[in-house]
Every structure is written in C-alpha cells, then in structure tokens.
Amino acid sequence: MSRFKRLAMRASIIPFGAAFWLVLAGVSPIAAQTVVQNDFEDGTTQGWGAFGSVTVANSTDIAHGGTHSLKTTGRTASYMGPGLDVTNKLVAGATYQFTAWVRLASGEAATSLTMTMKRTPAGASAQYDQIATTAAAGVTDAAWVSLQGQYSYGGSVSDLLVYIQSASATDSYYVDDFVISEIAGPPGGPQDNSGITSTFEDGTADGWHPRIGDETLTVTNADAHSGNFSLLTTGRQHTYDGPAIDVANKMYNGSQYQVTVWAKLAPGAAATNLRVSLQVTLAGTTNYYTVIPNTSVTANAWVELTATYNMANNYDSAALYVESATGTPSFYIDDFQLTYIPPVQIQTDIPSVYQTLSSYFPVGAAISAADLSGVHAQLLTMHFDSITSGNDMKWDATEATDGNFTFTTADAEVNFARANHMRIRGHNLVWYQQVPAWVFLDANGNPMTPTPANKALLLQRMQNHINALLTHFGSAVYAWDVVNEPIDPSQPDGLRHNMWYQIIGPEYIADAFRFAHEANPDAELFVNDYDTTNPARRTALYNLIAQLQGEGVPINAVGHEMHSNIQYPSAQSIVDTVNMFSQLGVDNQITELDISVYTDSTSSYTTIPPSLLAEQGYRYRDYFQAFRSLKGKISAVTLWGLADDNTWLDTFPITRLDMPLLFDTGLQAKPAYWGIIDPSQLPGNALTGSIASKSGTQTGRTWTIALSNPGPGTAYGAQITGFTLTQTAGAACTPVITGPSTFPVVLGDIASGASATTSFVINFAGCANTARFSLNVPYNSTGGANTGSIVRSNEFR
Ligand code: XIL
C-alpha cells in the first residue's frame, strides 16, 4: 500500500473539523513527491527515446509490474541505451531519488548497468553524472534488479537527459517502473515565486532600506507615479548610494524575473541615468550585476525602468538597489515590481504533428544550433521527423574560404537528427545568396568577367564544393537542394541571370546536378524555388525541368518553398501546381513553408491581432487539406522554422513581428497548429446560421437571420454575403428584397457562446400564402476563411 493511500484511509475515519486537521498535523509530511513515473503500461515509450543509435520500444516480452516494459536493442557501444529528457523537470539544489528496474534480454550474459545524467550547464559543454550502477555482473536475464541512486545538481542548466547504459557494448535489456521522486527540496524550502510589489501606499517603505547609510529614505506624498505615495531618497554622497531591497529567497539561481520600477528625480535635479543593480554575497565575497540598464531620468516626469533578468547566482544574501550612473541627485521611486517568469514549457498533452501526418509524409522544420537543446529540442523531436538546416549547410557557412570546409554546426544538427531518427534534407548547394565573395573572384582576385578561364575556375569551385558536402554528409542527408532559386520569369529564357549564369552560362544548372549525382548517386536531387504557384514562375520552372530531363540531367524532384501569407497563394493553386509537376514524373516537396500574417511589405504590428492568427489557422487547415489530397505526389512538408520565437520573417522583408509558424514565441500551439491537427478547434469554426423569426406584413416581411457561435473561440468579423429566395411551389410571384441592398452585411466579432442577428425586409406582393421558397444565405467569418450557408427549402413567406 502506498503511503499516500494509508494516509487517506486514516484521514477518512476521522470526522471533519478541527480534529481532522490536528491528526493530519501530527503525521509527518509525505516526503517524497513523484516527478516522473513510467510503467509503460499504455504501450508507448512514455517519452523515452534513443541515446545513441539504438532501438527503444515498448515491449510485452516481460515486465516488472503489469505486462509492459521498455526494451532497448541494437546497441553498438556501451554508452548507448534508452534515454529520457528531464529538462525543466528537476530543480537545482533539490535531491531526487532515481529508481529503475532492469533486466537483460533472454540469452544475454550477466553485466552491469549504469544510470547516467547528461547535464549541460547553461552556455557550457555537457557533463556526465553517474546516478547509480549495479555490481559488475549484477544484472542477468533471470531476474529484475533495481538500479537506484540519489541525484542533485547545482547551477543553471540548458539540458538534462537521463539514460541507462551498460558495461557490455551490445546487450539488449529491459527497463520498467522508472521513478524519479523528489526527496528534498532545494535548501530553504520550495522556491518562493510570489515576487515583490512596493507601492508605498500603506505609508511604509515596504522593506526598502538605505543601502550604504549615507542616504535617507522617506515615504512621501510629495509625488507619486500612482496612488499618493512614493519613496524619496535624499542625502546621497556617492553614485552607488540608493534605496535597496532584500531579494534573498525571492530571486533564485536559474530563474528569470521581470524587474520594473518607476523613477523621477527630485525637483530641480539635473537629468541623469538611473539603473537597478544586484548585489550578491556568497561566502564573504560580494559581486555586483546590472539588472536594469542605465535609463535616462529627469525631474519632469516618471520614467519606467524595466528589464527581464536571469538570476545566475547562489548567495548567502542578495539585494536589488537603485543607483545613478553619474551625480548624486535625490530621486523618487514608485511601483516597484519583481515578477517571477515561469520557464517555458512545451505542451506534452497535444498530438504530435508528424505522428498525426505519418501516413501522408514526413514533416520537417528548418532549424539552427539553438534548437538542439532544452525546450526547443523537446518541441522539435515531439512534432517533427525531418530537419533542414536553415543556414548551416549554405556555402558561406561551410566554405567561407576557398577549400577550407567547416561542418561543426551542420554536423551537430545532423548528429542530433540521426540520434532522434529524423530525416535530413541538405540545403543548399548552388544559390546566388549567402555565397562568399571569393567564389566570384578571378585568379587575380578581381570580380569575375565571363571568360573561358573564369568559367573553368567557377565550375571547378562548384564541383569541389558540391563534392565536399555530399562526400562529408554521405547517406546521412537523403536529399539536396542542388540549385536554389534559378527562376526569373522576366527573362526571355525564364532563368535568373545570377553570377553562376553570367560566368558559366545557363548550363551551370545541369552541371550542378551532374556533379551532385556523381558525388552521391543515391541522393534525391532537387531544384528549389519560391512562388511556384505563380503561373509565369511555374511555367518557367516546368520548362527548365523538362529541358533538363530531355538532356538526361539527373534531377529527381522539385522543391516548392511556399513562403506564403494569409491570402496567398490559394490551396487550389498548390494542388494545380503539384499536379502539373507530377506530370513530369518528378517528386514534389514543400520545402520552406511559412504563412506570414502580413500581405504587404510595409505594415507591422507590435501585437498580432488574434483574428489574424485565427485566419492563419484556417489557411494552414486549407494547405494541409491540399497536401493530404496530394498524398503520393508530395514526399515531405517542411516548415521554415520551429516556432515564432525564431523566424526569418522577423527581419524579412523588413524588421517587424511576424508569427508565421505552428507554435508561438512561447512555444505554445497556435490556431495554425490546430488547423493541421484538428480544425474543429479553430476559433469560430462551428458558427451556424438560422432563421430566427419572421414578422410583419406581406409587403414588408422581416426575416431575422441569426449567426450563432457555440465556440471554441471567437468568430471574427462574421458577415452575411448574400440572401437568395427562389420560389419552388405555388402560383408564380416575384418577392423583392427591399433591404439591405448591399452586401456583405457585417455582424462583427461573435464571442464564443454568443450570437448576432440581422434582418432582411422582403416585399411578397402577389405571393399567395401557399407559395413556397428556398433560401440560400452564405456567410463567413475570420477574413472569409471560415464559410457556411443557411440553406432552406419549403419556406413560407
Ligand atoms: C533564409 C534564412 O532563413 C535566414 O536565416 C537567412 O538570413 C536568409 O535565408 N529561401 C531559401 C532559404 O531558400 O535559404 C532562405 O532562408 C529563405 C528563402
């Protein structure tokens, strides 16, 4: 029986009231708190995956409790085994007990197993902490043994991953009933995340005190940012004299805070910069840090000083204080706020994008090195089974100087993807952008002109580059964007007249494909371009591919970048385009999908309206409906980024906030995500219409139409776009709709659970009361993305 159950039973026989609480108070608190518990009884791996190249799967061969366990096979090195990402699950300074039950697969010789934590301190390289290990031949195929140990770590970390390895490089084994429980919180008890607020309205200094002792602090109603009171500091002798507040046990190592204070100089003081600093003392040593940078403050107006701050220190004592950069003016402060910012956590209770689409095509994301650890890595591996390096395989990243190849970042991405069983697209080999200047300089270091010597030199460079990349990455990269963005429909030959074209000639394209095919005959070779649904651009691209095919050039596929916006292109044009290229017998991929919320290159929002994010969700719905319908013709769909916190559209075509991807800047699922996974979750999608009432005389009948939104979410910008009455029975007559006379009839935003109505006035002169009519009232919401219509037959007038 668990201790919790015992406690519950004991409590249940005691009557409610004071006695109940007394008895509970007498019981020692439940010490251990379960942080992770995996019994694998649901048939999944419960988040466990491969550490190294192994196969980790749920198994019903044998179990420690129940009927399921986790089985690891295919090991080739002793460090490899099953691993579980526990980033953000463990708190620095707390003590945990880790338990796993382990057993070797049938026929394996006795060995030892070890539980290890791969810990990556913020900004440093990974450390490997042993948590528990068994005796030398302590694990056999005959019995379950427990692997148990305590673990604690300090400092801030970007990544924590627990895995179970073996002294033998190859044996297969089972893991079951894995539990992490917290047996002691961090010193000083659980973290107090309540923050600090100081308004001085109760007439006290709210815990603020003179930092040095020169200063005098006075709560005053002479001035205030809000309410009546503020805190005035006078008598400062040094720039570092100022009001201070203790933040010990309010700011914790590894946590993030928003720190805000309003300040104003005393009357007559000359403008200066004020800032907020942090002083921490540990074992007698004091260090100082800037929390809110210098901010210009005057005697004329209240100024907000604010910043987010990552606390990165352990301490015996800690205080925040306000000081000046120069001068020692007296100043007021007010409305100080220290707010704990919870760490970003991904949603683990929503469907995986790639698993949802697994019967259609792999789903990829463009990534950077920052996506390989922490919550970004969790989001990436949960939702995507393919990657493209956003920039790290491009020419400028891999061959910045002639013949000197750098693969460090790309290799890290490739290794991560391989370890997580993801496919890897190579992007890109020959493009006119992100190519270092040396590539187009002649033998004397001057800009190339079209000469036979330069053509030979540039071809040589191209071949050398392609060969180096395809050889280096080998079979790890299954597809390459060989030539990127070669189309320009404004040219007579439809080709972009870039430097490759100018120096080598149009055959640079065929040459690049031939070099790539020679270097890796197994790779799928793509021509990749943008705006491929545009008739002029796709005709040029189609002609290029057809011509290359006619010349026997080894080209396999076309990549549609699909950088889109909430109005362009239409889903139908995507279907048409893919079908068109399929006729050439080439494979298609969507390679760089994103959907900007902007339809021009000048507007910008500081906060993107929820209606636009909803509309974007409908566009994603429509696109993925189109992609699904093209099953077999599209071999992958790749999003150009993981989440809105890192998108190239924040700087292209201008610097502005854009949110073009499936997850928001805090890594949470957007309507865009739900449009793909479950459109019934889209805001306003269940909007329905009805005839609410009919009233009035025959020549001035009023039909009231209602649009009702049962939720979820708001139906933004609801409108009725037509009202058509057609007679279906009775002596012929001609009803006339006398109002309104223009469409659409705008009903506006309809909140979840609400409805809105509008009336149409109809002159039924000459229509008998036995006449029957059909009615058709189309309506929509969310920028026209969510459509429906009221269709009725057999209506009386
Ligand atoms: C973009 C990257 O996302 C940016 O980080 C970089 O600054 C510029 O390039 N078409 C392509 C991609 O083929 O390589 C581009 O990626 C986006 C347009």
Side-chain angles (χ1 to χ4, degrees):
M1 191 184 336
S2 78
R3 187 164 183 182
F4 181 77
K5 222 169 176 177
R6 248 187 354 246
L7 187 69
M9 279 175 58
R10 217 158 126 185
S12 68
I13 53 164
I14 292 159
F16 284 102
F20 173 81
W21 295 111
L22 279 178
V23 169
L24 269 188
V27 175
S28 62
I30 302 167
Q33 192 189 330
T34 303
V35 180
V36 173
Q37 187 159 26
N38 301 128
D39 58 11
F40 309 109
E41 291 303 306
D42 63 359
T44 76
T45 64
Q46 298 188 344
W48 287 76
F51 186 78
S53 47
V54 298
T55 303
V56 175
N58 191 285
S59 166
T60 52
D61 293 352
I62 199 162
H64 174 251
T67 53
H68 293 253
S69 63
L70 187 74
K71 186 175 188 181
T72 302
T73 54
R75 299 176 58 256
T76 53
S78 69
Y79 75 87
M80 295 179 179
L84 179 71
D85 191 330
V86 291
T87 315
N88 292 329
K89 295 217 161 84
L90 310 183
V91 177
T95 306
Y96 298 91
Q97 180 158 283
F98 282 67
T99 308
W101 289 85
V102 292
R103 178 175 181 150
L104 298 186
S106 175
E108 301 283 17
T111 186
S112 132
L113 294 192
T114 300
M115 190 190 294
T116 307
M117 181 69 79
K118 180 182 177 203
R119 172 176 54 91
T120 312
S125 54
Q127 309 286 314
Y128 297 86
D129 309 327
Q130 180 173 311
I131 300 173
T133 192
T134 65
V139 191
T140 69
D141 65 351
W144 289 94
V145 285
S146 75
L147 192 53
Q148 186 169 70
Q150 287 188 7
Y151 184 67
S152 177
Y153 74 93
S156 79
V157 296
S158 59
D159 235 347
L160 288 173
L161 188 139
V162 59
Y163 64 99
I164 295 173
Q165 61 188 96
S166 167
S168 143
T170 57
D171 54 10
S172 298
Y173 42 84
Y174 302 96
V175 175
D176 203 354
D177 291 336
F178 176 80
V179 176
I180 306 176
S181 46
E182 189 188 291
I183 53 178
Q191 191 165 310
D192 175 358
N193 293 331
S194 60
I196 301 175
T197 302
S198 315
T199 63
F200 312 108
E201 292 302 308
D202 64 359
T204 77
D206 284 342
W208 290 82
H209 55 83
R211 173 169 183 245
I212 302 296
D214 305 324
E215 328 80 334
T216 302
L217 269 47
T218 313
V219 178
T220 173
N221 61 4
D223 205 340
H225 169 250
S226 71
N228 299 316
F229 291 93
S230 64
L231 183 72
L232 174 64
T233 302
T234 54
R236 302 173 64 237
Q237 310 284 306
H238 312 100
T239 56
Y240 52 78
D241 290 351
I245 189 160
D246 189 8
V247 291
N249 299 320
K250 285 288 188 182
M251 291 181 79
Y252 293 84
N253 191 358
S255 290
Q256 196 180 39
Y257 299 88
Q258 184 75 33
V259 184
T260 300
V261 66
W262 289 81
K264 182 177 178 181
L265 300 186
T272 188
N273 284 320
L274 295 183
R275 61 173 172 252
V276 174
S277 303
L278 170 71
Q279 156 175 354
V280 291
T281 304
L282 180 65
T285 302
T286 301
N287 285 301
Y288 306 92
Y289 304 92
T290 298
V291 173
I292 306 177
N294 283 338
T295 309
S296 172
V297 178
T298 70
N300 303 327
W302 286 92
V303 172
E304 184 182 40
L305 285 70
T306 190
T308 57
Y309 186 70
N310 293 311
M311 183 73 174
N313 291 91
N314 288 316
Y315 52 77
D316 298 318
S317 67
L320 290 176
Y321 58 97
V322 185
E323 61 180 331
S324 49
T326 53
T328 57
S330 298
F331 59 82
Y332 302 99
I333 63 167
D334 200 0
D335 293 333
F336 168 82
Q337 190 90 44
L338 171 74
T339 310
Y340 168 76
I341 303 173
V344 168
Q345 284 186 304
I346 68 160
Q347 295 153 291
T348 53
D349 54 351
I350 58 174
S352 151
V353 175
Y354 86 80
Q355 285 174 16
T356 303
L357 293 165
S358 63
S359 65
Y360 296 93
F361 35 71
V363 185
I367 64 160
S368 71
D371 297 320
L372 304 183
S373 62
V375 282
H376 290 89
Q378 290 173 26
L379 190 71
L380 177 61
T381 53
M382 177 169 173
H383 292 289
F384 299 93
D385 58 349
S386 174
I387 62 147
T388 304
S389 182
N391 286 302
D392 304 311
M393 290 186 187
K394 289 174 180 172
W395 199 308
D396 58 355
T398 51
E399 194 187 4
T401 56
D402 194 354
N404 300 314
F405 291 92
T406 314
F407 295 118
T408 320
T409 311
D411 282 348
E413 292 163 356
V414 166
N415 291 339
F416 177 92
R418 295 184 79 179
N420 289 287
H421 307 295
M422 305 167 98
R423 299 163 73 81
I424 304 154
R425 297 192 83 253
H427 176 81
N428 56 52
L429 298 171
V430 178
W431 194 21
Y432 69 101
Q433 287 186 41
Q434 294 178 275
V435 182
W438 67 264
V439 175
F440 302 119
L441 297 182
D442 68 16
N444 302 317
N446 297 318
M448 281 184 174
T449 51
T451 65
N454 285 337
K455 173 173 178 169
L457 182 59
L458 190 55
L459 271 171
Q460 178 53 43
R461 286 172 178 169
M462 182 204 266
Q463 180 170 24
N464 192 41
H465 183 79
I466 292 175
N467 194 51
L469 268 76
L470 270 65
T471 305
H472 176 79
F473 293 108
S475 61
V477 174
Y478 79 99
W480 282 97
D481 292 330
V482 178
V483 179
N484 206 41
E485 304 185 343
I487 295 303
D488 179 354
S490 72
Q491 296 292 347
D493 62 359
L495 297 179
R496 184 183 290 276
H497 292 192
N498 59 24
M499 278 299 276
W500 301 104
Y501 181 104
Q502 289 172 41
I503 305 303
I504 298 172
E507 64 269 31
Y508 87 89
I509 298 171
D511 291 333
F513 277 94
R514 290 201 177 99
F515 293 150
H517 186 67
E518 275 164 31
N520 180 358
D522 298 325
E524 185 175 1
L525 304 182
F526 282 74
V527 56
N528 189 52
D529 218 317
Y530 64 89
D531 197 13
T532 54
T533 55
N534 170 328
R537 293 184 54 82
R538 75 182 169 196
T539 301
L541 183 57
Y542 184 97
N543 291 342
L544 169 64
I545 295 172
Q547 188 191 332
L548 292 171
Q549 287 177 326
E551 293 167 2
V553 174
I555 178 170
N556 311 114
V558 53
H560 307 273
E561 293 186 6
M562 213 59 73
H563 293 292
S564 310
N565 70 50
I566 51 172
Q567 284 172 18
Y568 178 89
S570 69
Q572 185 57 47
S573 71
I574 298 174
V575 172
D576 296 344
T577 300
V578 169
N579 281 328
M580 174 173 154
F581 284 97
S582 289
Q583 286 164 18
L584 288 173
V586 288
D587 182 26
N588 290 267
Q589 287 192 1
I590 309 302
T591 53
E592 305 183 12
L593 176 63
D594 45 21
I595 305 184
S596 173
V597 301
Y598 300 101
T599 54
D600 62 31
S601 47
T602 49
S603 340
S604 80
Y605 294 106
T606 47
T607 308
I608 294 173
S611 59
L612 286 189
L613 297 178
E615 188 172 343
Q616 182 188 54
Y618 284 91
R619 300 302 173 201
Y620 269 106
R621 175 196 67 178
D622 296 346
Y623 279 18
F624 275 78
Q625 257 166 23
F627 300 156
R628 284 177 168 103
S629 79
L630 292 163
K631 178 174 171 169
K633 295 176 182 166
I634 291 183
S635 67
V637 174
T638 297
L639 278 294
W640 203 241
L642 186 57
D644 292 337
D645 63 335
N646 184 9
T647 162
W648 76 302
L649 294 180
D650 280 347
T651 51
F652 178 89
I654 59 168
T655 296
R656 60 184 172 187
L657 173 67
D658 205 341
M659 295 183 66
L661 298 166
L662 308 187
F663 300 94
D664 66 17
T665 54
L667 311 189
Q668 306 302 294
K670 296 162 61 190
Y673 164 91
W674 291 110
I676 298 172
I677 300 299
D678 179 5
S680 76
Q681 304 295 318
L682 286 172
N685 81 91
L687 188 68
T688 54
S690 63
I691 305 172
S693 64
K694 296 174 185 171
S695 65
T697 61
Q698 179 172 359
T699 54
R701 289 285 280 173
T702 296
W703 287 22
T704 300
I705 300 295
L707 295 184
S708 305
N709 175 20
T714 302
Y716 295 100
Q719 54 184 20
I720 289 172
T721 54
F723 188 99
T724 310
L725 271 180
T726 312
Q727 188 176 10
T728 55
C733 67
T734 312
V736 177
I737 297 151
T738 57
S741 56
T742 55
F743 288 93
V745 177
V746 175
L747 283 79
D749 294 352
I750 305 176
S752 173
S755 57
T757 59
T758 189
S759 293
F760 293 85
V761 181
I762 310 149
N763 182 349
F764 281 103
C767 298
N769 60 9
T770 53
R772 296 288 193 284
F773 304 90
S774 68
L775 175 69
N776 184 18
V777 182
Y779 58 85
N780 66 52
S781 71
T782 332
N786 180 33
T787 58
S789 48
I790 306 168
V791 179
R792 296 280 179 277
S793 53
N794 258 343
E795 289 291 330
F796 295 92
R797 67 186 188 218

